[in-house]
Amino acid sequence: MSVETLPAKRQSVVRAAAQVFVREGFVGASVDVIAAEAGVSKQTIYNYYRDKENLFLSVIDAMLLPVAEQFLAVLDEILLDEADLAAGLVRLGREWTALLAREDLAALRRLIVGEATRYPQLLAAWQNAGPGLAQPKLTAHLTRLAARGVLAVPDPERAANQLTSLLIGEVQTMSLFGAVDVPARRVEEIVTSGVQVFLRAYKAAD
């Protein structure tokens, strides 16, 4: 459920919690501070979410699910158009890297990475709300393109993972998961060359 579809008071709690978690970290975040910034009582937060962990999981869902839905719609639009697959994949890479560079999502992702060893359930929630939705959809499209003879993909799931790495992996590394900007020209070079490598490996013979 997205933030915008929540009742007003819950919207305030989720927005305040996201800011406090990013600023203070999961361990350092105080429910008292979240309540004060949301303009609600501490008991209200416990009534809604039971504890801090469930609150954080709700923040992940509220922030990621609408973004994931938007990305899946773009993915469908691009990969259903087979007229120029190379251009479509480059556009997909542009859209994907721009999404990952969003300041709020990048900050949340870095927080989860930092807490993943102590709280693996947070990482699992992130993966289920983000990559857990995108990768099966990408795999399904590659399977369809292989069936239509556009691509020669013996293992669509592995190919989907490889395409993801080629489109966004290097940008993620260079940006330190969104902490620093990567010049747009450099992103374009990475995405374009990644698509070329992918199609050299998997383009069906004419």
Side-chain angles (χ1 to χ4, degrees), residues 88-144:
L89 291 177
V90 169
R91 182 189 161 200
L92 180 64
R94 291 191 196 113
E95 299 270 1
W96 208 338
T97 52
L99 193 61
L100 292 173
R102 263 183 47 174
E103 185 176 350
D104 55 343
L105 297 180
L108 184 62
R109 184 168 59 253
R110 292 193 301 273
L111 171 59
I112 291 171
V113 169
E115 301 287 1
T117 55
R118 287 181 293 182
Y119 301 97
Q121 64 271 32
L122 303 181
L123 179 60
W126 171 276
Q127 291 173 329
N128 289 336
L133 297 176
Q135 290 306 108
K137 174 74 78 170
L138 184 55
T139 298
H141 275 297
L142 295 185
T143 300
R144 179 185 55 79

Side-chain angles (χ1 to χ4, degrees), residues 146-169:
R148 289 178 56 81
V150 178
L151 297 175
V153 184
D155 186 341
E157 184 176 0
R158 175 168 291 180
N161 290 332
Q162 291 169 337
L163 179 58
T164 300
S165 296
L166 288 166
L167 293 180
I168 67 172

Side-chain angles (χ1 to χ4, degrees), residues 5-203:
T5 60
L6 294 170
K9 189 176 287 188
R10 288 204 181 205
Q11 283 190 38
S12 297
V13 171
V14 168
R15 293 184 194 282
Q19 293 175 356
V20 174
F21 281 128
V22 167
R23 187 175 70 234
E24 307 292 342
F26 178 71
V27 174
S30 162
V31 175
D32 288 304
V33 172
I34 294 171
E37 296 197 11
V40 302
S41 70
K42 182 178 178 179
Q43 189 57 49
T44 295
I45 293 179
Y46 285 126
N47 288 343
Y48 285 158
Y49 300 105
R50 297 198 310 275
D51 54 36
K52 187 168 73 170
E53 180 182 319
N54 276 307
L55 173 57
F56 192 39
L57 295 175
S58 296
V59 167
I60 293 172
D61 281 344
M63 292 183 68
L64 280 191
L65 287 177
V67 174
E69 290 172 359
Q70 174 189 345
F71 177 73
L72 293 179
V74 170
L75 196 157
D76 283 340
E77 176 192 339
I78 290 172
L79 291 185
L80 285 173
D81 181 5
E82 302 171 16
D84 190 341
L85 183 58
L89 291 177
V90 169
R91 182 189 161 200
L92 180 64
R94 291 191 196 113
E95 299 270 1
W96 208 338
T97 52
L99 193 61
L100 292 173
R102 263 183 47 174
E103 185 176 350
D104 55 343
L105 297 180
L108 184 62
R109 184 168 59 253
R110 292 193 301 273
L111 171 59
I112 291 171
V113 169
E115 301 287 1
T117 55
R118 287 181 293 182
Y119 301 97
Q121 64 271 32
L122 303 181
L123 179 60
W126 171 276
Q127 291 173 329
N128 289 336
L133 297 176
Q135 290 306 108
K137 174 74 78 170
L138 184 55
T139 298
H141 275 297
L142 295 185
T143 300
R144 179 185 55 79
L145 290 169
R148 289 178 56 81
V150 178
L151 297 175
V153 184
D155 186 341
E157 184 176 0
R158 175 168 291 180
N161 290 332
Q162 291 169 337
L163 179 58
T164 300
S165 296
L166 288 166
L167 293 180
I168 67 172
E170 187 175 350
V171 176
Q172 291 264 61
T173 301
M174 290 180 65
S175 69
L176 299 177
F177 291 93
V180 296
D181 290 334
V182 178
R185 185 174 65 180
R186 182 66 180 129
V187 172
E188 185 74 10
E189 290 171 354
I190 291 169
V191 168
T192 301
S193 64
V195 169
Q196 291 170 350
V197 169
F198 181 80
L199 290 180
R200 278 200 297 270
Y202 290 118
K203 191 76 166 65

